[in-house]
Structure formats: structure tokens, C-alpha cells
Amino acid sequence: METVEMNSVSLKRPRSEDDVANADEIKRQKISEKSKTGNNSGQSVETVTEQPDKSLLEDTKNEIIPNEESEEQEDEELEDSDEDGDPESFADMMKHGLTESDVGITKFVSSHKGFSGILKERYSDFVVHEIGKDGRVSHLDDFSVPVDDEVNFEDPSEETFTVLSDEDKQRLEELQLLKNKETSVAIEVIEDTKEKRTVIHQAVKSLFPGLETKTEDRDGKKYIIAYHAAGKKALANPRKHSWPKSRGSYCHFVLYKENKDTMDAINVLSKFLRVKPNIFSYMGTKDKRAITVQEIAVLRITAQRLAHLNKCLMNFKLGNFSYKNHPLKLGELQGNHFTVVLRNITGTDNQIEQAMHSLREIGFINYYGMQRFGTTAVPTYQIGRAILQNNWNEVMDLILKPRPGAEKGYLVKCREEWAKTKDPAAALKKLPVKRCVEGQLLRGLLKYGMKNIISAFGIIPRNNRLMYIHSYQSYLWNNMVSKRIEEYGLRAVPGDLTLKGATAVHIEEGDVDNYSIHDVVMPLPGFDVIYPKHKIGEAYKEMLVADNLDINNMRHKIRDYSLSGAYRKIIIRPQNVNWEVVAYDDPRIPLFPTDLDKLEGKPLPVLPTHGKFRALKMEFSLPPSTYATMAIREVLKMDTSIKNQTQLNTTWLR
């Protein structure tokens, strides 16, 4: 089967799921008219939806891939305040953004005709369930708390969470974190009974690890005195003796979250529990604009405390608690199972059948999705290339210089100040949010000076720094896999690479009939990898030479930036592929139940046999580090770049 060039475009809906039905219906009519009209090449116009200033799908990458505006949770309100703006202005700014072809995404593997559909009209139209290393799919289906054989002072009662006043909690937290000069905190016992004193003792010890308590009489009144048993040592190793020996040190639980990414969720949980985020572990990061279900582990926090958060937090539910002796590690998962609804589809039944059969039988090109490369006029791969070239002035310039396109207002002012003065202190004053990459780099320049950019850049968290070079690696891979498919099509050829265990070997002439395209891998450039023995091997070398890099020497003088190589399959064939077309009248109703709906006993949505609209509900499982966006792109034949989506928004909104 020949590959199909990508020449259709996509339309993104900027409105949220709370829009009134009439407005939705009018706009759908406009979409329908657009898709019937088509473009100059006779292809239909594809439709997609997402918030204008976010990548189409965050997907479930198993690496932490923050963008240049990652902040602590306390900065979220400031960050979100200017997300909503005039769509036409945003579209004008996004003229400077990336398209798929800019990052090497240019091919399809299927021959069916594309059709339109609205992706993520509601975040509940995109549900992700994590698949653990044992192949078990994570589901939230149990709120009960495990009971220990050994009774333990750490297990809090319900009253524990309410017995302390907000002022008491604030004082105790400052004491716990050694933020003041006080050596103890006294809490008066208003209702002096043994039971009341016991509850206060329990509340302090449960909620503030590292503190001990005692009872004292002062002026005829009873006080609970909280104090540090061993100062900083107690903080580093909080009261191991209070945790039952028979219980595993880690509480594992299933986290169900809506419209929140994994790191934000961990930050929220840590703030409510008054612990550091680094005591949580997980196997993969999950999408924001979606409903996701994944396993989390936390060190020495009881299921009771975690279960209490279900009464305090919105858009989160915690359940399926168990105690184990191990944390979780990034990348340990087998993959993720997706349930996706594409609303208001225009494809015929035959087109849909062809598209879904092709997805199941052939699969899709395993491209790195658009979110890997950023949304502004300075792609993350350009910064990664400058790091690998050891061009640190270029790194600084790319991160801090003014750039056209969609950005927060304060970042624009910061960049303008930097361009005018090259003064880190002056530019930093323009940033109300200091946790972004720009703020961290400026702080580094203040600390180490303009002549030590390497050390200044090192202040940025390691994952953020490595994200840049991984983006460049992804950019190379996308371009090379497009070239490989263009040159040799969907068949294994002599000189291709395949994996034998963890080792890559070349496919020899006499063995080529024993392999299919699904066996072929391509290298992610780096040290200790081999390259195909055909034209694509030379193309890798040419692309790296053009970027002033040596394919045979990808080690960097700074160890962190030495690019380790790996191998990645060219074509991914999803597992457990199922689909159905459903009719609906109301765009606001859910089209399938979630785990929470089932747990709470909500009735199934009642859908008409014939409705105003049709939706494609699709399910499939993907391995780690693959992008659901790219699978959906293959089904609809659409361009997933924000630039293409927003350029059509303004036409559609008129």
C-alpha cells in the first residue's frame, strides 16, 4: 500500500463544554458547510477542538516534558487569567507557530479518504486508563480503606481532620518545617477530656510528621505541647517507629482526575497533606484536558488520610488503596488504554470502517506529536540543537529574546526588557511568576554572571533541560522516518534495522521476507547506536552535518547533555481496537460512562437511534511513549498543529 501525502487541514473549536446548545448547533452547521465545500485540492476540511493555547493532546508520555511556562501551583491563577482572549487575535499570533511539516510529520500509511470530527469537545470525551507492567488496566472501582491487623496511632479518625483550627495548623506547619524560632506550639484543650486530648495528640502526629506531643498544665488549663523530637533529623526521617512493621512503607492508590495534569495533581495532593511532592511516585505523566486513571504511590501516608481528600478536592478521586513495599518508577507501565469520542463526524459508514480497519490492521506512523516541540515561534528542538552544539549564547538568546506569537503578557514585557538592557535583574522584575524557565535562567545569570551561561542554565530543573535535547532528537527522528517511508514504503528492505532482544541488527538480503514493516525500527541519534545500511543511514549523517554535529561523536563535554541513542518502531499497531458510531442530539451529554459514574451508580446515557449528530467512539491500547494524537490523525487525515487549527478558527467564527 502506498503512503498518502498530508494535504488536508484541521479546524479547532475554541468553545468549552459549558457553551449553550444553540451556539454549538449554529457553529456545527458552519463546520458542516465548510467540510462539504472542501479545499482547493478537493480534500475535506478536518475539524478538531481544543483550548486555543494548549497543545492538542498532552497524551500520556512517560517522561516529564514541561514547557517553558511550568509553574508551581500557587501561580496557576495568574497563569490562567489571560488564557481566554479574542480567538482572532490568537489566530493572528499563531501565524508564527509550527505546522506538522515543520517537525517532519508529512506522511500517512492508509489509503482511505479523511473525514471530519470534533476531538475533545468535552474533556470527558478523552479518557485514559493506565496499563501496569503486569498488563492490568487501572480502574477506580473501590473507595474502601484497607484494615490493618495491627492498630496504629498513625491511622487518623475522621475527627482528626477537624479538631485543629486553621491557625493551629498554620503554626504547626511552620514549626514542622522549622520556619520560625519557636521550639514548640501550645494548643489549649477547650473541652478537657481524655478523649479530646487523645484526638488532638493523634491529629498533630498524623498531620505533621516529625512532631511529638505531650500534655502540660498551665495556670489551671490543659495544653497539648507540640515539639520537634529530633529537629531536622525528624523531618528527614519522620517517626518510622509509628508505622506498623507489618505494613508496606508505600500506600498505592488509583488517582482519577479530570482536566488536570499529573504534576499539578501531585502538587495539590502534597499541599493538602503538608508533605513534599517528591514522596509521590508514578509510572507515567497523563494528559490535562482529559479524564485519566493511573496508579500513584506515596511514602508513609495512610489510606485514611488519602481517602479524606475525596471530601476536600474537586476533580480528583482517590481509591483502590493498598500497602506495598516499593514505590513506582517512570516507564514501568506497559502502556495506556484510550477511550476517545470524535463528535459530529461527517464520514460515511464505509469511510469510518475503512479508517478503523486500517488503524487496527496497519496502524499509524509512530511520530512524536506536536506537543513535543512547543507552541511558540521558538521550537524547543532549536534550543536542544544549540545545547548539543555547545553554543551557549544561542541557548540564552533563544530562551530570552522577544518572539512573535502567543505568550503571556508578562513574558512579552520580560523579553522586551532583556532585549533592551541585557540586565537579568531588570528583566526578572518584569516577571510576577519566577518559576518559569525564563525566570530560572535569569536568576542563574544573576547568580553566576553573563560569562557563565552554562552554570546559569544549570539552575533550570534537569528534566526541563533534557526536554530540549530530547525534542531535537525527536525532530531528527520524525524527519528521518518520513524520508524512510517515502523512499521504501511500507515494507522491510535490506539494510533496515530490527530488534533482537535489546540489540539492533541489520536485516540482510536473504532474510527480508521474514520481516514486516512492524518489525522495523529507526535509531534516535546518539552514542552507541547503529544506523540503517541504505539511503536513510546517509540521510541521518547529512542532517547532523548540516547542524554542525558529528554523528559519530554525540557525547558532550557536560555529561548531562551527552545524547544517548535508542531505537523506536516506525509503525505502531494499536491493540484492543474497537469502535462504534452513536447518534446524539444534545452536545452537552456524555456519550459513555466513566469509572466515577459507575462507582456512583449514575445511569447510562440514553442515546437516540437517530439523532442530529453522529459520533465515533473508539478504543485502543498503545505502548509507552507513543502519541494517541498520531493515531487519531491517521483516522481523520488531519493536521494536528495549533497553527492550522487556529488559522481556520477565525473563518469559522465569522
Side-chain angles (χ1 to χ4, degrees):
M1 185 178 296
E2 294 184 2
T3 62
V4 181
E5 293 290 347
M6 183 188 68
N7 56 5
S8 57
V9 290
S10 60
L11 170 64
K12 180 179 59 159
R13 292 172 50 81
R15 300 297 289 273
S16 73
E17 60 197 70
D18 297 320
D19 292 345
V20 294
N22 287 343
D24 281 341
E25 188 168 342
I26 291 169
K27 290 178 178 178
R28 279 191 183 81
Q29 290 169 357
K30 291 185 178 181
I31 294 172
S32 182
E33 290 168 7
K34 279 271 173 197
S35 59
K36 289 175 184 175
T37 302
N39 57 21
N40 293 335
S41 65
Q43 296 278 340
S44 62
V45 176
E46 317 295 2
T47 59
V48 194
T49 188
E50 179 54 284
Q51 295 301 318
D53 53 345
K54 301 290 183 187
S55 57
L56 179 68
L57 293 178
E58 194 62 23
D59 275 333
T60 53
K61 302 171 292 298
N62 301 316
E63 304 167 63
I64 300 173
I65 307 178
N67 60 31
E68 289 184 21
E69 295 176 24
S70 59
E71 269 86 28
E72 296 290 349
Q73 193 216 348
E74 56 263 30
D75 297 325
E76 281 182 359
E77 187 173 331
L78 177 61
E79 280 290 275
D80 293 340
S81 63
D82 56 357
E83 279 191 356
D84 296 324
D86 174 48
E88 190 154 355
S89 299
F90 183 84
D92 189 55
M93 288 191 289
M94 283 310 300
K95 288 176 182 176
H96 305 282
L98 294 171
T99 64
E100 286 188 341
S101 60
D102 292 329
V103 293
I105 302 173
T106 59
K107 303 291 182 182
F108 291 110
V109 298
S110 53
S111 59
H112 71 272
K113 184 180 179 182
F115 55 92
S116 66
I118 304 173
L119 176 62
K120 286 193 173 185
E121 182 168 34
R122 300 168 59 91
Y123 64 75
S124 54
D125 287 345
F126 195 88
V127 177
V128 186
H129 288 89
E130 189 170 71
I131 305 172
K133 60 182 177 181
D134 59 357
R136 183 179 54 84
V137 179
S138 292
H139 283 280
L140 180 76
D141 53 21
D142 185 5
F143 283 143
S144 66
V145 171
V147 178
D148 286 333
D149 294 333
E150 185 177 350
V151 178
N152 147 57
F153 202 48
E154 173 74 10
D155 295 341
S157 65
E158 187 60 33
E159 192 178 359
T160 297
F161 299 101
T162 57
V163 69
L164 298 173
S165 69
D166 289 341
E167 183 183 353
D168 288 338
K169 290 177 182 176
Q170 180 67 33
R171 293 166 61 212
L172 288 165
E173 184 172 359
E174 289 175 354
L175 178 66
Q176 179 200 34
L177 299 176
L178 303 172
K179 286 187 175 180
N180 56 25
K181 296 180 180 178
E182 302 297 325
T183 56
S184 64
V185 166
I187 301 168
E188 184 180 354
V189 183
I190 305 300
E191 304 169 23
D192 183 20
T193 64
K194 184 177 181 181
E195 292 76 13
K196 189 70 173 181
R197 293 197 302 273
T198 298
V199 171
I200 296 175
H201 281 292
Q202 185 182 33
V204 173
K205 291 187 174 186
S206 297
L207 299 178
F208 300 94
L211 298 184
E212 296 293 343
T213 57
K214 60 185 178 181
T215 303
E216 284 187 3
D217 282 309
R218 294 183 180 179
D219 300 324
K221 295 179 181 179
K222 282 279 195 308
Y223 288 86
I224 304 296
I225 309 300
Y227 62 96
H228 268 294
K232 291 184 179 180
K233 185 178 179 182
L235 259 185
N237 193 8
R239 294 173 24 258
K240 280 190 175 181
H241 63 273
S242 70
W243 193 267
K245 293 180 181 179
S246 61
R247 176 194 286 172
S249 294
Y250 294 87
C251 185
H252 287 231
F253 61 95
V254 168
L255 172 65
Y256 170 104
K257 63 181 181 64
E258 300 179 352
N259 211 25
K260 203 84 171 173
D261 69 33
T262 301
M263 284 306 301
D264 284 341
I266 295 299
N267 285 334
V268 170
L269 296 178
S270 64
K271 286 177 186 297
F272 272 80
L273 293 168
R274 293 182 170 84
V275 295
K276 292 182 178 180
N278 62 4
I279 71 169
F280 291 87
S281 58
Y282 46 89
M283 295 182 287
T285 57
K286 299 290 181 279
D287 192 10
K288 175 179 180 179
R289 188 166 167 77
I291 291 175
T292 69
V293 183
Q294 69 183 118
E295 188 175 350
I296 306 287
V298 60
L299 176 65
R300 294 182 180 274
I301 298 293
T302 64
Q304 286 90 337
R305 287 183 68 186
L306 293 167
H308 178 75
L309 297 180
N310 286 330
K311 300 179 181 181
C312 310
L313 300 175
M314 294 180 64
N315 302 326
F316 297 106
K317 288 294 178 183
L318 286 62
N320 297 80
F321 302 102
S322 63
Y323 292 107
K324 300 181 181 179
N325 289 317
H326 60 85
L328 296 169
K329 295 181 181 178
L330 277 172
E332 279 187 328
L333 72 170
Q334 265 193 29
N336 297 282
H337 185 74
F338 297 86
T339 305
V340 178
V341 167
L342 303 174
R343 292 185 183 243
N344 199 27
I345 55 172
T346 62
T348 65
D349 288 345
N350 187 51
Q351 285 176 316
I352 293 166
E353 287 294 307
Q354 286 183 6
M356 295 307 298
H357 274 287
S358 175
L359 183 67
R360 184 167 63 187
E361 301 303 322
I362 302 175
F364 62 95
I365 302 172
N366 193 19
Y367 287 124
Y368 287 96
M370 293 301 296
Q371 59 269 37
R372 188 81 166 185
F373 307 102
T375 58
T376 67
V378 177
T380 50
Y381 76 80
Q382 290 184 3
I383 299 170
R385 179 169 54 201
I387 293 170
L388 294 171
Q389 292 170 339
N390 213 31
N391 188 345
W392 292 100
N393 284 315
E394 177 78 355
V395 171
M396 179 178 67
D397 193 41
L398 286 170
I399 293 175
L400 295 178
K401 72 179 181 181
R403 57 181 70 171
E407 283 208 303
K408 306 292 182 185
Y410 54 78
L411 273 173
V412 173
K413 292 176 182 175
C414 170
R415 296 188 194 287
E416 288 173 348
E417 183 65 34
W418 174 256
K420 184 171 63 177
T421 66
K422 290 292 190 289
D423 181 348
L428 199 56
K429 286 179 181 177
K430 301 290 184 180
L431 278 181
V433 177
K434 303 294 194 290
R435 297 292 299 176
C436 58
V437 167
E438 291 81 0
Q440 290 163 333
L441 178 56
L442 288 168
R443 280 204 302 268
L445 291 170
L446 268 176
K447 181 175 181 179
Y448 294 105
M450 296 286 286
K451 293 184 178 180
N452 196 349
I453 300 171
I454 295 176
S455 295
F457 183 72
I459 280 186
I460 298 169
R462 185 173 184 270
N463 279 328
N464 297 56
R465 289 181 277 123
L466 297 187
M467 174 266 294
Y468 293 122
I469 61 174
H470 290 154
S471 176
Y472 177 70
Q473 201 176 35
S474 305
Y475 168 75
L476 289 174
W477 196 89
N478 279 0
N479 278 278
M480 289 298 98
V481 79
S482 290
K483 195 170 186 66
R484 159 64 182 76
I485 290 174
E486 179 180 348
E487 192 71 38
Y488 299 111
L490 296 178
R491 59 192 176 91
V493 298
D496 272 336
L497 293 169
T498 189
L499 291 178
K500 296 281 183 70
T503 305
V505 297
H506 292 103
I507 298 175
E508 301 297 335
E509 180 80 45
D511 292 334
V512 73
D513 291 338
N514 297 324
Y515 297 96
S516 76
I517 191 65
H518 298 101
D519 300 313
V520 178
V521 298
M522 295 267 285
L524 286 157
F527 56 84
D528 295 334
V529 296
I530 61 174
Y531 293 86
K533 286 183 178 178
H534 48 51
K535 291 180 182 179
I536 306 308
E538 289 302 311
Y540 269 103
K541 184 182 295 185
E542 290 168 8
M543 196 166 183
L544 284 162
V545 166
D547 287 341
N548 295 316
L549 294 170
D550 182 357
I551 197 170
N552 297 312
N553 183 17
M554 300 300 287
R555 294 189 184 273
H556 198 281
K557 67 177 184 180
I558 300 170
R559 186 176 177 182
D560 262 2
Y561 310 134
S562 289
L563 199 56
S564 59
Y567 299 96
R568 181 178 176 88
K569 283 197 170 185
I570 289 181
I571 302 293
I572 291 294
R573 187 160 45 191
Q575 301 298 305
N576 308 311
V577 178
N578 291 289
W579 68 92
E580 65 174 321
V581 176
V582 297
Y584 65 102
D585 291 318
D586 187 347
R588 294 169 298 181
I589 65 168
L591 300 184
F592 63 92
T594 65
D595 283 4
L596 188 59
D597 292 336
K598 295 174 186 176
L599 199 51
E600 294 179 343
K602 290 185 180 178
L604 294 172
V606 179
L607 301 175
T609 305
H610 303 286
K612 295 178 185 176
F613 312 111
R614 293 158 68 238
L616 172 59
K617 177 190 172 186
M618 53 198 296
E619 291 190 60
F620 52 88
S621 299
L622 295 178
S625 193
T626 55
Y627 289 70
T629 330
M630 296 294 102
I632 295 164
R633 167 188 181 269
E634 187 70 43
V635 169
L636 292 181
K637 296 291 184 68
M638 72 179 188
D639 181 321
T640 61
S641 68
I642 294 179
K643 178 175 182 177
N644 272 341
Q645 296 163 47
T646 51
Q647 294 309 305
L648 287 167
N649 264 350
T650 52
T651 304
W652 169 62
L653 287 169
R654 288 192 181 104

